[in-house]
Amino acid sequence: MSNSTRSSREEITEHWDWLEHNVMKTLSVFDSNEDITSFVQGKIRGLIAEEGKGSFVKEDDPEKFREGLMKFEKCFGLPEQEKLVTYYSCSYWKGRVPCQGWLYLSTNFLSFYSFLLGAEIKLTISWDEISKLEKTSNVILTESIHVCSRGEDHYFSMFLHISETFLLMEQLANYAVRRLFDKETFENDLVLHDPLQITKRGLESRAHSEQFSAFFRLPKEETLKEVHECFLWVPFSHYNTHGKMCISENYICFASQDGSLCSVIIPLREVTGVDKTDPANRGVSISTKGKTAFRFTEVRDFEQLVAKLRMKCNATSSPQHIINTEVAASSASDSPKDFDAGPSKMGQRDNSKTVSTEALMTVYHPQDAENLDSKMLKEKMKEQSWNILFVERGHGVSMFRTKKTRDLVVRGIPEALRGELWLLFSGAVNDMASNPGYYTELVEKSLGTCTLATDEIERDLRRSLPEHPAFQSDTGISALRRVLTAYAYRNPQIGYCQAMNILTSVLLLYAKEEEAFWLLVAVCERMLPDYFNRRIIGALVDQAVFEELIRVHLPQLTDHMMDMTFFSSVSLSWFLTLFISVLPIESAVNVVDCFFYDGIKAILQLGLAVLEYNMEKLLTCKDDAEAVTVLNRFFDSVTNKDSPLPPAVQQGSNLSDTKSDHPKVDITDLIREANERYDDIRYEDVESMRCRNRLYVIQTLEATTKQNVLRVVSQDVKFSPSDLEELYELFKKEHFLSCYWIVNSPVLQHHDASLPYLDQYRIDCQQFRVLCHLLSPWSHCANRDSLALWTFRLLDESSDCLINFKQFACVLDTMYNGSFTDKLKLLFKLHIPPAFTEVESLSPSKGGDLSKEELIHFSQLSVSSVGDSLESDSLKSSPEKVGKGKVDIQAYLKQWQDELLKKEENIKDLPRMNQSQFIQFSKTLYNLFHGDPEEELLYRAIAVVTSLLLKMEEVGRRLQSPTSPVKSPVAVVEVPAEIPRKAQEESSSEQTEGSRAQSLRGNHEWSFAFEQILASLLNEPAFVRFFEKPHDIKVKIESAKNLQLKARTRM
């Protein structure tokens, strides 16, 4: 019997219901009553702590947060820079048994700790390893969070606030992915550049602001400040609609939540007054320049809200802002003289002559008001319907947007209103109003620039709607060139991507040049994020969303198609060009209408409708090629029977009637059917699927990179495929660990997804040293830092202080799988230029250890003589970047060909080793042998070999010049202090034999060739046994996986 104490019966009932719903169903998995009691008690204790914690952040309750932070640091031993964001009580499912514990969310890791029934569970997953993050439910788990990392599934359930927890996890995973994998979009995001500044409150605020600006198509800079539940009076329907008023720095927005699909966007620049009305109903009235008054009621704290809004409006009504608004309004007006208004510089006057102030459609297809055929009459009727709508619901940015608005969009926007409404629905009108004169200035700066982007633009200009007369003349081509070049100048991260030319061509047909530019900005940076970068990640994400929707809505098609990637490959152009590349132009513009109103949801709905329309034929297809043919014939049959465009321009009307096997399909009917059949696809669901699939897409791209790298490297090494894959993961992980805790880490620049696969991930000397300590069979050596440094310098052929995975794997392969000669040759090369450099630590107390600064300094030192020539050769062979972030692919192909033709390195080509280098070489050998079972035998062998080599060198010099004095090499050899006494005695006796030569000392240097050293060492069996002794890389790999993070913690 249990007792519950609370302030009210309702609260007690609510909590018992929660326990019954979330806990009772789970108890059946336990075998004994003791386990059940222990689990329930642990769960309730966790919930009490969670309730007491509330949704605190560090600023709210530093004492409780400090307590949680101490537990986090104690349990997981992560570096102190790792910032804990928040933590939650929950259950982790180990098989079919839940383990009650605490889930800790930090900037780089998801961690879970549980100690229950004497069993400890500790789990640490880095956000960048997560490929799936979703909310799920089944019979046992009523509602849980599913995390998939490196192929392993993890389930967490019984959260008190699961939606809040999931939102934070989603934000942290997205942050890590963007920071580490997708720097193209991250570099423009100043908010998240510093991982130490991330807070729970900040992440939640950011998530809500992103949802707000995306839903209302506002500039990304807008931050959601306040949300008020209220009612908005809808005058044309004579009723109050319930919804939320959302307020940012420059906008007041409203969206209904009662199914009426009513929304309003009120820019503060349009507001003329804010007043209190009907105090009994807590009313707020907002008046705008369009003489429309919006009346909100049941607004909490309405008096304070009125005061705040008045202050905001006064701030935005400053003289400067009024001037800007007037300029923005004038730049959007119909008069082509607006760009010449007022005094202007010569450059601006020249630009006003070049920048087109008319949509190309009005120039090439002017409407004849006197001779109206049936299609033009229908067009005029459409215009009349919109004019009635404008009278009822407002005209301009602050108009009421309702179901009636969408119905008219589905029917197709009239030609005369298309440009204006595209600008309005996309939100581009706000960008243009906020940046008067920006486009003209950009054109002036960008014209005449020469980059890879401008070269690609020039190449594609005449491929953009080549059948349309507007782009068969210099007028259209020049306008297209200016818009694309200006955008590439504005956003060099995107620059120019194929498909942008096709989209921009259509925009220029219906919008003025400046409007077309801002429409392109809205599409590339807001409506289709990450579509037009090098990896088209955004398009691939929406392809994954499309596949998910196909599984849900068209399961029979999914069952028939063996490979779902078919849908991605065939539909990629649908998404990149908004169906413009596959539909006749007169039909495609209707799709663009819907896209600007409903966003990507419209493209997804239409894609599903196309597949459903062709379902029967697709189910009979035997292969992908046949399915592609079916879809192409369908698109050819799509028409727009109401299009007022002349037959010469319409692509659909030019088709031969021989393709009568496919009946004509009207685009308006197809779009209407798509809206009706797939109306249950909501904006919020699409955005959620986008977030979920973004992780999957990026991890899939990373897996493709890994597979390609491993395929190339496996041909040059003897490691097993599994060992090579583990080495790649350690190599990549070391790159990430160097980025986790450093603000604006320069190491982030070492990852460039635009480069060939092998060079996408590279590490510097410091990272290489860490991996050498963890993986090298020679890591026990006293001068291991120097060895790591020299190895890195040897591998750094391009002299950019970075090496790729192939170079790393090949040198490890030599250490583990190379022959005696290979290993000795590697050691020899490490002690001659360009690898070798004199190393002297600034802190003698550290012995052979080097600080990070010393390591970086020595790795950047230029080499002399032979090294210089090698460096210059490598620089010549290194492909250079051309333009902005682009790579000369031809140079890479040539380098690859040269590598294939490169002969086996001849040992006779190796330079000779001089006196100081040989002394260091001997010291390295002594260090390597330390601790070996045959240590004493190896030391004795070194002494013998060294003495033999020195005698050979002395004899050789005497034969070459018998009369010249020779400096005895024997006298200068130093015997390290670590050598056992017996070996030292033998070495000294050998040296006395050559002491007679000391009288012949001179200033001549002596040196050894590699063949001499090799031949001498082969005579010593102990040497051969040592270097041919097998080492197990698997043991080192397992150890490295456990120690890699700890090594970073110690550093």
Side-chain angles (χ1 to χ4, degrees):
M1 184 68 182
S2 300
N3 294 321
S4 177
T5 305
R6 209 65 180 167
S7 58
S8 67
R9 184 180 182 84
E10 290 76 14
E11 203 167 355
I12 293 172
T13 306
E14 180 189 345
H15 288 178
W16 275 110
D17 288 345
W18 189 93
L19 287 169
E20 187 175 341
H21 184 67
N22 288 276
V23 179
M24 296 304 181
K25 293 180 181 178
T26 311
L27 301 183
S28 59
V29 302
F30 292 101
D31 297 327
S32 66
N33 291 333
E34 290 79 8
D35 290 349
I36 291 174
T37 303
S38 179
F39 172 75
V40 173
Q41 286 176 344
K43 185 69 205 170
I44 292 175
R45 279 196 295 269
L47 290 174
I48 292 169
E50 178 80 7
E51 185 71 21
K53 177 173 77 76
S55 60
F56 72 84
V57 290
K58 187 174 181 180
E59 307 88 83
D60 296 338
D61 196 336
E63 198 59 44
K64 285 186 178 178
F65 192 88
R66 194 177 298 113
E67 184 182 331
L69 180 61
M70 287 174 65
K71 287 182 182 177
F72 171 69
E73 291 175 344
K74 181 181 177 182
C75 290
F76 303 102
L78 296 171
E80 59 182 16
Q81 302 99 314
E82 180 65 14
K83 179 168 182 180
L84 177 64
V85 177
T86 190
Y87 57 95
Y88 298 95
S89 168
C90 71
S91 293
Y92 171 64
W93 288 77
K94 190 89 169 169
R96 293 177 57 85
V97 180
C99 305
Q100 176 59 32
W102 289 93
L103 180 71
Y104 296 88
L105 307 181
S106 58
T107 49
N108 298 295
F109 298 95
L110 176 157
S111 311
F112 177 83
Y113 182 81
S114 171
F115 188 81
L116 198 63
L117 304 176
E120 182 182 56
I121 295 176
K122 192 183 294 185
L123 179 72
T124 304
I125 303 171
S126 56
W127 294 114
D128 55 76
E129 293 177 345
I130 293 177
S131 57
K132 185 178 285 188
L133 180 64
E134 60 183 352
K135 280 196 288 188
T136 60
S137 60
N138 56 38
V139 177
I140 297 177
L141 300 173
T142 51
E143 200 170 21
S144 64
I145 295 176
H146 172 212
V147 177
C148 181
S149 169
R150 303 186 98 180
E152 292 185 24
D153 293 309
H154 307 275
Y155 292 90
F156 303 90
S157 68
M158 302 187 194
F159 292 94
L160 200 58
H161 308 288
I162 191 166
S163 296
E164 174 194 286
T165 310
F166 182 74
L167 177 66
L168 276 174
M169 292 171 73
E170 203 171 50
Q171 285 288 102
L172 285 165
N174 185 50
Y175 156 74
V177 161
R178 289 175 63 193
R179 183 167 190 254
L180 299 174
F181 295 115
D182 192 17
K183 67 177 184 181
E184 289 181 23
T185 57
F186 186 84
E187 284 175 353
N188 295 326
D189 194 339
L190 300 176
V191 179
L192 293 179
H193 261 288
D194 185 357
L196 301 179
Q197 299 304 314
I198 294 177
T199 63
K200 176 176 179 286
R201 181 182 292 163
L203 286 171
E204 289 174 337
S205 173
R206 180 183 177 83
H208 294 141
S209 291
E210 286 175 348
Q211 292 167 0
F212 162 72
S213 58
F215 182 82
F216 290 107
R217 311 274 168 77
L218 301 178
K220 282 186 174 181
E221 300 76 34
E222 290 299 310
T223 305
L224 182 62
K225 299 295 185 184
E226 298 179 52
V227 178
H228 297 272
E229 279 207 39
C230 61
F231 289 87
L232 171 64
W233 173 248
V234 184
F236 48 86
S237 299
H238 304 289
Y239 80 104
N240 281 307
T241 180
H242 176 254
K244 289 184 178 179
M245 178 199 295
C246 304
I247 301 171
S248 66
E249 295 93 339
N250 300 298
Y251 297 87
I252 303 167
C253 304
F254 176 87
S256 65
Q257 295 183 296
D258 56 6
S260 62
L261 301 177
C262 176
S263 65
V264 170
I265 300 169
I266 311 170
L268 292 181
R269 65 177 183 270
E270 297 289 323
V271 175
T272 57
V274 181
D275 301 293
K276 289 182 283 186
T277 60
D278 193 7
N281 291 317
R282 296 178 292 180
V284 177
S285 176
I286 299 175
S287 306
T288 63
K289 293 176 183 176
K291 297 182 180 178
T292 305
F294 297 91
R295 196 173 75 197
F296 300 91
T297 54
E298 301 301 326
V299 182
R300 181 182 295 180
D301 302 327
F302 74 107
E303 293 179 339
Q304 294 166 334
L305 178 61
V306 168
K308 287 179 186 175
L309 291 179
R310 281 176 177 169
M311 286 180 65
K312 278 179 174 285
C313 292
N314 289 336
T316 55
S317 299
S318 63
Q320 178 64 40
H321 191 83
I322 292 171
I323 291 169
N324 288 347
T325 307
E326 288 171 355
V327 175
S330 68
S331 66
S333 69
D334 294 333
S335 172
K337 298 177 183 178
D338 289 330
F339 283 108
D340 294 322
S344 63
K345 297 178 181 177
M346 181 62 72
Q348 290 173 327
R349 198 180 304 120
D350 289 342
N351 270 320
S352 70
K353 293 177 183 177
T354 57
V355 174
S356 172
T357 56
E358 285 187 287
L360 294 176
M361 196 63 78
T362 62
V363 177
Y364 288 90
H365 307 296
Q367 294 184 5
D368 188 352
E370 296 180 0
N371 302 314
L372 297 178
D373 57 14
S374 59
K375 290 186 177 180
M376 284 306 302
L377 284 172
K378 283 186 178 180
E379 187 75 1
K380 289 297 177 186
M381 290 171 64
K382 275 188 189 179
E383 287 184 33
Q384 187 62 28
S385 298
W386 278 96
N387 288 331
I388 293 170
L389 184 85
F390 294 149
V391 171
E392 284 183 356
R393 297 159 200 225
H395 191 175
V397 68
S398 299
M399 68 183 292
F400 281 88
R401 306 175 196 204
T402 62
K403 190 175 184 302
K404 177 72 177 294
T405 315
R406 171 178 284 159
D407 291 342
L408 288 179
V409 171
V410 168
R411 286 171 52 191
I413 298 174
E415 300 274 309
L417 296 174
R418 187 162 268 142
E420 175 192 342
L421 292 177
W422 283 358
L423 206 66
L424 188 68
F425 296 145
S426 66
V429 64
N430 296 314
D431 295 321
M432 197 164 80
S434 303
N435 298 278
Y438 175 80
Y439 175 67
T440 309
E441 183 182 342
L442 212 56
V443 168
E444 183 181 343
K445 289 179 179 177
S446 62
L447 280 182
T449 57
C450 186
T451 64
L452 193 60
T454 57
D455 292 343
E456 292 175 349
I457 289 169
E458 288 298 324
R459 188 186 62 214
D460 287 347
L461 283 176
R462 311 242 168 221
R463 303 177 187 174
S464 311
L465 299 187
E467 67 287 341
H468 198 286
F471 297 101
Q472 293 168 0
S473 70
D474 187 59
T475 304
I477 293 293
S478 296
L480 181 60
R481 177 187 293 113
R482 286 191 294 273
V483 172
L484 292 174
T485 305
Y487 186 78
Y489 188 87
R490 164 191 166 86
N491 191 344
Q493 290 296 335
I494 291 178
Y496 170 76
C497 177
Q498 282 188 335
M500 287 171 69
N501 60 321
I502 298 172
L503 175 61
T504 308
S505 301
V506 174
L507 299 178
L508 283 166
L509 288 178
Y510 294 98
K512 301 167 194 174
E513 190 175 315
E514 183 181 11
E515 294 171 347
F517 170 79
W518 287 113
L519 283 167
L520 184 63
V521 169
V523 171
C524 294
E525 298 175 16
R526 193 162 56 240
M527 299 186 71
L528 297 179
D530 302 342
Y531 258 62
F532 300 101
N533 55 23
R534 295 185 185 99
R535 296 199 291 176
I536 59 171
I537 287 175
L540 296 176
V541 168
D542 284 342
Q543 297 286 290
V545 172
F546 187 49
E547 286 182 18
E548 195 173 328
L549 290 171
I550 292 171
R551 292 189 191 95
V552 173
H553 294 279
L554 305 173
Q556 61 273 47
L557 196 56
T558 308
D559 296 339
H560 176 72
M561 302 301 291
M562 298 297 292
D563 186 3
M564 285 294 286
T565 57
F566 163 75
F567 298 112
S568 296
S569 59
V570 78
S571 64
L572 183 60
S573 63
W574 305 356
F575 288 83
L576 280 172
T577 66
L578 309 180
F579 282 91
I580 296 170
S581 62
V582 293
L583 286 174
I585 183 65
E586 65 275 10
S587 300
V589 290
N590 284 39
V591 179
V592 179
D593 294 342
C594 297
F595 167 75
F596 279 127
Y597 190 83
D598 271 331
I600 194 63
K601 185 180 85 166
I603 306 300
L604 293 167
Q605 287 174 323
L606 183 59
L608 290 171
V610 167
L611 293 178
E612 185 180 16
Y613 196 96
N614 293 277
M615 177 81 75
E616 290 184 10
K617 292 184 178 180
L618 288 173
L619 290 176
T620 61
C621 291
K622 298 180 179 62
D623 54 39
D624 290 355
E626 195 176 341
V628 170
T629 303
V630 167
L631 292 172
N632 286 340
R633 286 182 178 171
F634 169 77
F635 288 129
D636 288 341
S637 72
V638 176
T639 62
N640 186 348
K641 64 178 184 293
D642 294 332
S643 174
L645 292 179
V649 174
Q650 290 193 35
Q651 296 170 336
S653 64
N654 296 331
L655 294 172
S656 171
D657 290 333
T658 56
K659 297 181 180 178
S660 54
D661 60 321
H662 214 304
K664 298 294 181 186
V665 180
D666 186 70
I667 187 64
T668 306
D669 296 336
L670 185 62
I671 291 174
R672 184 184 295 112
E673 186 174 341
N675 264 271
E676 290 172 356
R677 290 193 66 82
Y678 304 106
D679 188 50
D680 58 335
I681 299 176
R682 300 184 309 134
Y683 163 81
E684 295 82 0
D685 298 333
V686 172
E687 289 303 310
S688 175
M689 285 190 282
R690 272 179 157 181
C691 261
R692 183 167 65 248
N693 282 288
R694 186 178 184 82
L695 296 174
Y696 165 75
V697 165
I698 287 185
Q699 294 294 356
T700 302
L701 290 173
E702 288 297 306
T704 302
T705 298
K706 179 172 75 173
Q707 289 164 8
N708 282 284
V709 170
L710 296 181
R711 188 179 68 248
V712 171
V713 176
S714 63
Q715 299 170 12
D716 297 325
V717 298
K718 297 175 184 175
F719 290 127
S720 68
S722 60
D723 288 343
L724 193 61
E725 183 175 357
E726 294 280 14
L727 287 173
Y728 179 84
E729 293 295 346
L730 287 166
F731 181 89
K732 181 174 157 186
K733 190 67 179 177
E734 188 57 37
H735 163 81
F736 286 159
L737 287 172
S738 302
C739 305
Y740 280 171
W741 302 287
I742 302 174
V743 180
N744 297 329
S745 171
V747 179
L748 282 171
Q749 304 305 319
H750 300 171
H751 174 230
D752 189 345
S754 67
L755 291 175
Y757 290 119
L758 270 176
D759 290 328
Q760 286 188 16
Y761 285 103
R762 295 181 294 169
I763 58 173
D764 61 22
C765 192
Q766 164 64 12
Q767 296 162 312
F768 179 75
R769 171 172 66 172
V770 174
L771 289 174
C772 276
H773 288 184
L774 293 171
L775 293 166
S776 170
W778 303 339
S779 59
H780 64 279
C781 190
N783 64 333
R784 61 180 186 171
D785 278 3
S786 299
L787 272 182
L789 168 66
W790 298 330
T791 307
F792 182 84
R793 286 171 61 89
L794 178 67
L795 299 177
D796 183 21
E797 295 176 354
S798 59
S799 301
D800 59 359
C801 299
L802 295 170
I803 64 168
N804 61 31
F805 177 70
K806 181 179 179 181
Q807 295 166 315
F808 171 75
C810 286
V811 77
L812 267 188
D813 186 63
T814 302
M815 293 176 183
Y816 279 95
N817 303 316
S819 65
F820 172 78
T821 304
D822 292 334
K823 293 176 183 178
L824 194 65
K825 183 167 67 175
L826 173 62
L827 280 171
F828 182 88
K829 289 167 73 174
L830 294 183
H831 292 82
I832 58 174
F836 182 76
T837 183
E838 293 289 348
V839 175
E840 213 172 302
S841 175
L842 300 176
S843 305
S845 60
K846 291 184 178 179
D849 293 344
L850 298 173
S851 68
K852 179 179 177 181
E853 292 72 21
E854 290 168 343
L855 195 73
I856 298 298
H857 166 72
F858 288 126
S859 72
Q860 293 173 346
L861 287 179
S862 59
V863 295
S864 58
S865 60
V866 177
D868 284 335
S869 61
L870 288 172
E871 184 178 8
S872 61
D873 290 343
S874 66
L875 283 172
K876 288 176 188 173
S877 66
S878 178
E880 294 182 3
K881 287 197 173 184
V882 181
K884 291 187 179 290
K886 300 287 184 177
V887 174
D888 187 347
I889 300 300
Q890 293 298 324
Y892 265 104
L893 291 174
K894 185 178 184 304
Q895 180 182 333
W896 179 57
Q897 187 178 22
D898 291 343
E899 287 179 0
L900 290 177
L901 297 174
K902 194 182 293 181
K903 295 179 180 178
E904 186 72 27
E905 184 180 39
N906 194 325
I907 59 174
K908 292 182 179 179
D909 297 333
L910 292 173
R912 295 174 71 85
M913 181 180 282
N914 68 25
Q915 174 181 318
S916 63
Q917 293 161 3
F918 180 74
I919 292 172
Q920 184 58 61
F921 176 74
S922 301
K923 288 181 178 179
T924 299
L925 289 177
Y926 281 121
N927 289 328
L928 280 176
F929 299 152
H930 183 65
D932 190 87
E934 294 188 308
E935 180 179 7
E936 189 172 333
L937 194 60
L938 287 164
Y939 283 153
R940 191 179 303 125
I942 287 183
V944 172
V945 168
T946 302
S947 179
L948 177 63
L949 284 168
L950 294 171
K951 285 180 182 177
M952 288 168 58
E953 178 64 14
E954 185 178 339
V955 171
R957 285 199 174 271
R958 284 179 176 174
L959 289 173
Q960 288 176 7
S961 50
T963 58
S964 62
V966 179
K967 180 179 180 180
S968 172
V970 181
V972 296
V973 175
E974 302 172 7
V975 182
E978 304 92 1
I979 303 177
R981 182 170 297 174
K982 187 174 180 182
Q984 287 191 25
E985 288 171 0
E986 293 194 17
S987 177
S988 61
S989 66
E990 294 285 352
Q991 289 185 32
T992 53
E993 292 178 14
S995 61
R996 293 184 296 273
Q998 293 199 21
S999 59
L1000 302 174
R1001 283 181 194 167
N1003 295 322
H1004 295 281
E1005 278 285 333
W1006 47 268
S1007 62
F1008 298 121
F1010 175 70
E1011 304 101 293
Q1012 292 175 291
I1013 296 175
L1014 175 63
S1016 303
L1017 292 178
L1018 280 170
N1019 288 323
E1020 297 294 330
F1023 266 112
V1024 178
R1025 284 196 300 273
F1026 177 83
F1027 281 107
E1028 290 189 345
K1029 183 166 50 179
H1031 295 278
D1032 189 358
I1033 186 70
K1034 292 183 187 297
V1035 174
K1036 280 283 189 181
I1037 287 174
E1038 285 305 314
S1039 173
K1041 285 159 67 175
N1042 295 325
L1043 296 175
Q1044 190 174 27
L1045 185 57
K1046 292 179 182 176
R1048 181 64 54 180
T1049 304
R1050 287 195 298 271
M1051 289 169 57

